[in-house]
Amino acid sequence: MISIKILRKKKLPLGITVEGHAEYEATGKDIVCAAVSTLMQALEVGLREVMRFSDTAVQIERKDSWGYMRFSWTVESGIGDSVLFQTILRSLWSIRRGYPKNICIKEVSFDEDV
């Protein structure tokens, strides 16, 4: 199962972690994994190449063999409120609705400073 965690501080997104494999189909034929991977790659390209966020503004960690990718940023960056991130997030929820046995999305909230 793909596990997606959205980290929020005072309701504003500060990051997203995606890990695991959907196990919907065999490796190389898994449309659920492919869809989630494509969205995460689009988020990375959008943040780095389109919005031009630096390594200090957004941190990205990848371990492709584990099916792991983590993005984190500051509230001040505005990434959590960006059209790009909100589109990716809504798309992930849409995939989750179609494949609830293969994707879990959890929101983790902190009200105090992290």
Side-chain angles (χ1 to χ4, degrees), residues 22-35:
E23 299 175 1
Y24 177 76
E25 186 62 69
T27 302
K29 296 181 179 184
D30 194 322
I31 61 171
V32 179
C33 269

Side-chain angles (χ1 to χ4, degrees), residues 11 16 28 32 36 38 49 70 88 93-94 98 107:
K11 299 186 182 180
I16 184 169
V32 179
V36 171
T38 299
E49 297 178 21
R70 181 183 59 81
I88 296 294
W93 277 107
S94 178
E107 302 212 12

Side-chain angles (χ1 to χ4, degrees), residues 14-81:
L14 287 179
I16 184 169
T17 301
V18 177
E19 63 183 312
H21 297 282
E23 299 175 1
Y24 177 76
E25 186 62 69
T27 302
K29 296 181 179 184
D30 194 322
I31 61 171
V32 179
C33 269
V36 171
S37 294
T38 299
L39 287 171
M40 292 297 93
Q41 291 172 30
L43 180 59
E44 182 176 17
V45 168
L47 293 173
R48 293 279 189 232
E49 297 178 21
V50 177
M51 297 175 80
R52 300 193 187 275
F53 279 103
S54 67
D55 289 342
T56 55
V58 60
Q59 294 80 46
I60 300 172
E61 182 182 354
R62 297 176 72 140
K63 293 184 177 129
D64 292 338
S65 62
W66 296 1
Y68 176 85
M69 194 166 198
R70 181 183 59 81
F71 295 81
S72 59
W73 53 81
T74 63
V75 172
E76 295 78 20
S77 70
I79 292 170
D81 287 333

